[in-house]
Amino acid sequence: MEQYIPEVLFYLFLFCFVVQMGFLLIQQCRLAVYRLPEQDLSAVQLPVSVIISARNEAQNLVKYLPAILGQQYPTFEVVVVNDCSVDDSHHILLNMSENYPHLKMVTVTEHPRFKTGKKFALTMGIKAATYEHLLFTDADCQPASVNWIAHMAANFTGATEIVLGYSPYVKAGGFINAFTRFETLKTGINYFSAALGRNAYMGIGRNLAYTKSLFFRTKGFASHLHILAGDDDLFVNRNATPDNTAVELHADSFVYTDAKETLQAYYRQKKRHMGVGGLYKNKHRRMLSLDAMAGFLFYVTLGLCLHYHMQPMVIAAAYFVRLITQVIIYKKSANKLTGKDLIWFLPFFDLLYYLYLNVFGLIGTFIKTTQWK
C-alpha cells in the first residue's frame, strides 16, 4: 500500500494545481483587468446618511469623525450610534453637534438582562436615518479623501442597491501589519472579482453602502441577529443579486484603518470574523471551501511530493507556473488596491494565508465569540 502513497500525493497535487489555476484565470483575473469608469462627481446629488456604530470610541471619534463630517458633498448626515458606551463618547458627540448640525446621535443603553451587539446598534441607526441611501463605516476609520461619499454614492444608478467599497489597513512596520494587509488584499481580490462576475458574496462594513428600502424589505439582520458578526458580509451574502450590486474602486473612495498590533488582538478579531462563513449561501460556501482546501493541500502535497522525490521537475514547474501567474494577476490588482509592495512577499504570505484560512475556519466552527467589543 505504501508504494502507492507518492503517486496518490502527486495526482492530488496536480488536482490542487488545476483548481488553483482555475481560480486565478477564471475568477481572480476579473479585478486585474477591470478598468475604473469615469465619474462625474458634480452630478451626484442624492442625499446620503452615513451610519457609524461606536462603543467606547471616544478617542477615535475625536480623531476620525471630523474627516467624515467634513466631506465635500451637497446633502448628507452622519448618524453615530453611541452603543452602550461608558467613556466620554456622549459628551464628545454633543459638543461636536454644536459645530456640525448634520451630526445626529442615537443612544443605546445597556439592558441588565439583555445584551445587545453591533447589529442592534446599526438597526437603530438605520431607523433614525433620514435618507434612503445609507453608507457605513466604523469609528476608527478615515476616508482617503473628502470625496469618499461622492464616489460611493455615484454608483447608485439603475437597479443598484448595494455598493461594495474597499478598506485597506494603514501601512506600518512589523510582520503582523504586513500579513494583515496581505490578507486584506487577497480578500479584496476575491470578493471584488466575484462581484464583477455578478456573484457577490460579501462586503466590508468599514466601507459599504446599501439602500434603506433593501434593508427593511429583506428584514435587515433578522435571520442572523443571533450571530455576533456578519452585519456586513452576511447581509451582502443574503441580499446581493447579479443586478443590484456595484463595486467602487477609486483610490479616493477607500477608507483606512489601523491594523491590530498584537497577535492576541489579531486572533480575537479574526476569530469573530471567521465564524460567519458557515452561514453563507451554499454555492459561496462550496466555492470558498474549495479554494481554501485546494490552496492548503497544494502546499502540503508539494512538500510531500518533493520529500518522496516524486516527479520533482513537474512539481517545480507547476509551482512556478502558479506563482508567476499569481504575480502577474495580483500585481495588477494590488495596484488598484494600494498593496503593490506586498507582492514581494507573495510566496511566503500565500502559504501562510491558506494555513490561516483553514485554522481560523476550524476555530470559527467550534468556538463561538460572545462579545463584539
Side-chain angles (χ1 to χ4, degrees):
M1 185 69 178
E2 291 185 8
Q3 61 182 330
Y4 296 110
I5 291 178
E7 188 172 352
V8 171
L9 291 171
F10 175 70
Y11 285 113
L12 180 57
F13 170 80
L14 291 181
F15 171 77
C16 294
F17 167 74
V18 171
V19 171
Q20 288 283 284
M21 291 299 293
F23 272 98
L24 284 166
L25 298 175
I26 298 174
Q27 172 124 319
Q28 295 175 346
C29 68
R30 292 194 183 104
L31 178 59
V33 301
Y34 176 71
R35 292 181 177 273
L36 296 178
E38 294 289 336
Q39 289 180 328
D40 180 10
L41 298 185
S42 63
V44 185
Q45 301 290 330
L46 56 88
V48 172
S49 293
V50 178
I51 299 179
I52 301 170
S53 174
R55 176 174 293 189
N56 297 323
E57 297 278 11
Q59 292 183 347
N60 286 328
L61 290 172
V62 172
K63 184 176 180 180
Y64 297 112
L65 191 55
I68 296 173
L69 292 164
Q71 288 285 297
Q72 292 183 0
Y73 194 72
T75 307
F76 74 102
E77 65 176 359
V78 179
V79 181
V80 179
V81 184
N82 184 18
D83 183 21
C84 307
S85 298
V86 295
D87 60 6
D88 291 331
S89 295
H90 179 78
H91 299 293
I92 289 170
L93 290 170
L94 280 180
N95 291 335
M96 281 190 175
S97 64
E98 296 178 1
N99 297 320
Y100 298 99
H102 54 300
L103 171 62
K104 179 186 294 185
M105 179 174 62
V106 176
T107 301
V108 176
T109 55
E110 189 78 78
H111 193 284
R113 295 178 59 187
F114 303 103
K115 301 297 181 182
T116 59
K118 186 177 182 181
K119 292 176 185 176
F120 180 82
L122 288 176
T123 301
M124 294 300 99
I126 292 170
K127 288 182 176 180
T130 304
Y131 305 124
E132 162 70 2
H133 295 88
L134 313 174
L135 178 55
F136 298 85
T137 190
D138 289 340
D140 59 352
C141 294
Q142 177 154 354
S145 76
V146 294
N147 293 316
W148 165 56
I149 296 178
H151 278 290
M152 293 294 287
N155 292 276
F156 281 113
T157 59
T160 300
E161 295 180 294
I162 300 173
V163 182
L164 308 180
Y166 187 57
S167 180
Y169 286 98
V170 176
K171 182 180 179 180
F175 169 79
I176 296 177
N177 179 270
F179 180 70
T180 301
R181 290 172 56 233
F182 178 83
E183 182 261 329
T184 302
L185 170 64
K186 186 143 183 173
T187 300
I189 291 173
N190 285 330
Y191 79 80
F192 281 126
S193 293
L196 291 170
R198 296 162 58 85
N199 187 30
Y201 66 87
M202 67 165 285
I204 299 296
R206 299 191 301 271
N207 196 5
L208 174 66
Y210 49 80
T211 63
K212 194 173 186 179
S213 58
L214 174 68
F215 182 83
F216 287 113
R217 187 175 75 245
T218 59
K219 299 183 180 180
F221 308 126
S223 64
H224 49 89
L225 192 61
H226 60 290
I227 304 297
L228 180 68
D231 56 278
D232 45 12
D233 54 347
L234 280 181
F235 182 84
V236 173
N237 191 263
R238 300 290 172 87
N239 300 306
T241 70
D243 301 314
N244 77 344
T245 305
V247 302
E248 175 52 57
L249 291 168
H250 195 286
D252 285 348
S253 74
F254 294 171
V255 173
Y256 285 84
T257 189
D258 292 322
K260 301 300 182 183
E261 297 180 353
T262 66
L263 281 174
Q264 182 180 15
Y266 180 77
Y267 169 78
R268 286 180 57 195
Q269 180 189 53
K270 293 305 173 184
K271 184 179 69 171
R272 184 173 70 246
H273 291 167
M274 293 296 288
V276 303
L279 297 177
Y280 283 6
K281 292 177 182 176
N282 289 335
K283 64 177 182 178
H284 296 138
R285 272 208 320 273
R286 289 193 295 265
M287 176 185 71
L288 296 172
S289 297
L290 179 61
D291 178 39
M293 289 303 300
F296 177 70
L297 290 175
F298 175 83
Y299 287 108
V300 171
T301 54
L302 168 69
L304 291 173
C305 285
L306 292 176
H307 172 74
Y308 284 111
H309 302 286
M310 187 68 184
Q311 301 284 355
M313 295 300 293
V314 176
I315 296 295
Y319 172 79
F320 282 107
V321 166
R322 176 181 178 270
L323 178 60
I324 292 170
T325 306
Q326 276 187 313
V327 169
I328 294 171
I329 292 175
Y330 285 14
K331 184 178 180 181
K332 291 182 178 181
S333 297
N335 286 338
K336 295 182 177 72
L337 303 181
T338 65
K340 59 184 179 180
D341 60 300
L342 298 168
I343 300 302
W344 294 101
F345 305 97
L346 181 58
F348 173 64
F349 278 166
D350 190 66
L351 166 62
L352 195 60
Y353 172 82
Y354 282 109
L355 178 62
Y356 142 83
L357 271 189
N358 286 271
V359 169
F360 276 98
L362 289 174
I363 291 174
T365 300
F366 296 107
I367 301 178
K368 305 302 179 185
T369 305
T370 57
Q371 60 182 33
W372 76 271
K373 284 287 287 183

